[in-house]
Amino acid sequence: MIERTFLIAKGIGKGKESRLWSSGINTWSDFMESSDIPGVKDSKKAEYDLLFAEAYDLLDDRDCYGLGEMLPPGEQWRLYGRFHDDVAYLDIETDGLERDSTVTVVTIHKKDDTTTLTCEKDLDAGSLSDALDGVKMLVTFNGRCFDVPVLKNSFPTVDFDMPHFDLRFGCRKAGLPGGLKKVEVELGLKRDDDISDIDGEEAVRLWKSWKKNGDSRALELLTEYNRADTVNLVNVAEETYDRLVRQHGF
């Protein structure tokens, strides 16, 4: 999918991209191999050819960061298929609903590993960096607006600036509106009964119950809820990506 977008080139917007696709220019290589591109001057084509050659080099080097910098944020979902094995699915809980709230629980789920970190136990900049080691892309639900800004505020030395597939916007674009739970229901995903009714506000209450009363069951439920939020992103991302490919591939 990444090779099929021309939005990495300044001066090519969605309208011109659609016209390229309609004319049979579907990939960067199609563009580079064509001697004449309708609506593109020869001097501009030479400039774009160099850009697409650079993008292919980045693909060969598996440089997700470099490719992400070329793409508009809303198009970074196109990297998901190519870098699927190097993705981290991430979700956080906090003690409030503001950006300066304390991060209470973080889960980072990767292909072969799931790490959950808890405030005042094992959550710090070092453990977060270790959990994100080797990650080329983040997948979240509303992470651009909440999770990542909150984490950056709390852990400014940790790198969260890799390309980002935010499913809040990806799902909406793919015809799956609403919050994560609504999308899960739409896709037939189920949660265990003991956490099925927990939401963000209840997660805050569970943390406060743990902190104030030492309620270990509250912390257990909070952790289980956070892990479910994170691991379920895998199925949501797969379905959303497939829909985006069908609807917006070219």
Side-chain angles (χ1 to χ4, degrees):
M1 288 309 304
I2 178 60
E3 299 172 59
R4 295 178 180 175
T5 183
F6 298 98
L7 299 180
I8 65 172
K10 291 182 180 179
I12 298 183
K14 285 195 173 288
K16 184 175 284 189
E17 182 181 62
S18 294
R19 290 192 292 274
L20 287 170
W21 291 338
S22 296
S23 68
I25 307 298
N26 293 317
T27 66
W28 303 334
S29 60
D30 290 341
F31 188 102
M32 296 165 68
E33 293 166 4
S34 298
S35 58
D36 181 60
I37 304 293
V40 178
K41 296 179 179 179
D42 289 345
S43 59
K44 203 65 177 176
K45 182 183 185 305
E47 178 186 325
Y48 289 158
D49 284 349
L50 289 174
L51 177 70
F52 297 144
E54 178 187 351
Y56 272 123
D57 286 342
L58 292 172
L59 265 183
D60 289 342
D61 292 340
R62 294 194 56 77
D63 187 345
C64 192
Y65 280 80
L67 289 164
E69 288 179 351
M70 288 182 164
L71 287 165
E75 296 297 321
Q76 289 183 351
W77 64 269
R78 292 175 176 274
L79 295 165
Y80 180 77
R82 184 63 66 97
F83 294 96
H84 178 272
D85 289 344
D86 301 308
V87 162
Y89 305 85
L90 179 146
D91 186 70
I92 71 172
E93 309 304 332
T94 60
D95 67 352
L97 302 179
E98 297 76 33
R99 286 194 178 185
D100 61 352
S101 299
T102 297
V103 181
T104 58
V105 182
V106 180
T107 295
I108 296 170
H109 175 70
K110 297 188 286 189
K111 181 181 178 182
D112 298 315
D113 181 54
T114 303
T115 301
T116 299
L117 304 168
T118 305
C119 179
E120 299 179 4
K121 289 191 171 186
D122 53 7
L123 174 58
D124 56 35
S127 60
L128 274 173
S129 293
D130 288 345
L132 291 168
D133 184 45
V135 170
K136 296 180 182 291
M137 185 177 195
L138 286 180
V139 176
T140 68
F141 196 100
N142 199 36
R144 284 195 183 276
C145 297
F146 188 72
D147 301 62
V148 170
V150 171
L151 285 167
K152 284 184 172 182
N153 183 63
S154 299
F155 305 98
T157 62
V158 180
D159 180 14
F160 294 102
D161 289 328
M162 62 277 288
H164 192 156
F165 183 13
D166 189 330
L167 292 169
R168 174 189 172 190
F169 304 102
C171 286
R172 186 184 302 167
K173 187 174 183 177
L176 292 165
L180 178 58
K181 281 192 172 182
K182 182 177 179 181
V183 172
E184 288 178 357
V185 170
E186 177 71 18
L187 298 181
L189 303 176
K190 295 183 179 181
R191 298 189 178 209
D192 292 342
D193 291 342
D194 55 354
I195 59 169
S196 61
D197 294 327
I198 298 177
D199 57 15
E201 291 187 5
E202 177 65 6
V204 173
R205 190 198 68 76
L206 288 170
W207 176 257
K208 290 180 177 178
S209 180
W210 157 250
K211 284 288 292 180
K212 183 178 179 179
N213 304 315
D215 185 348
S216 59
R217 178 56 177 165
L219 182 60
E220 180 182 330
L221 287 172
L222 177 62
T223 301
E224 186 180 348
Y225 166 73
N226 178 251
R227 288 175 71 90
D229 265 4
T230 310
V231 174
N232 281 1
L233 292 178
V234 178
N235 289 324
V236 176
E238 295 283 352
E239 177 62 27
T240 301
Y241 178 75
D242 287 347
R243 291 189 182 203
L244 288 172
V245 169
R246 293 194 299 269
Q247 297 168 15
H248 302 280
F250 57 87

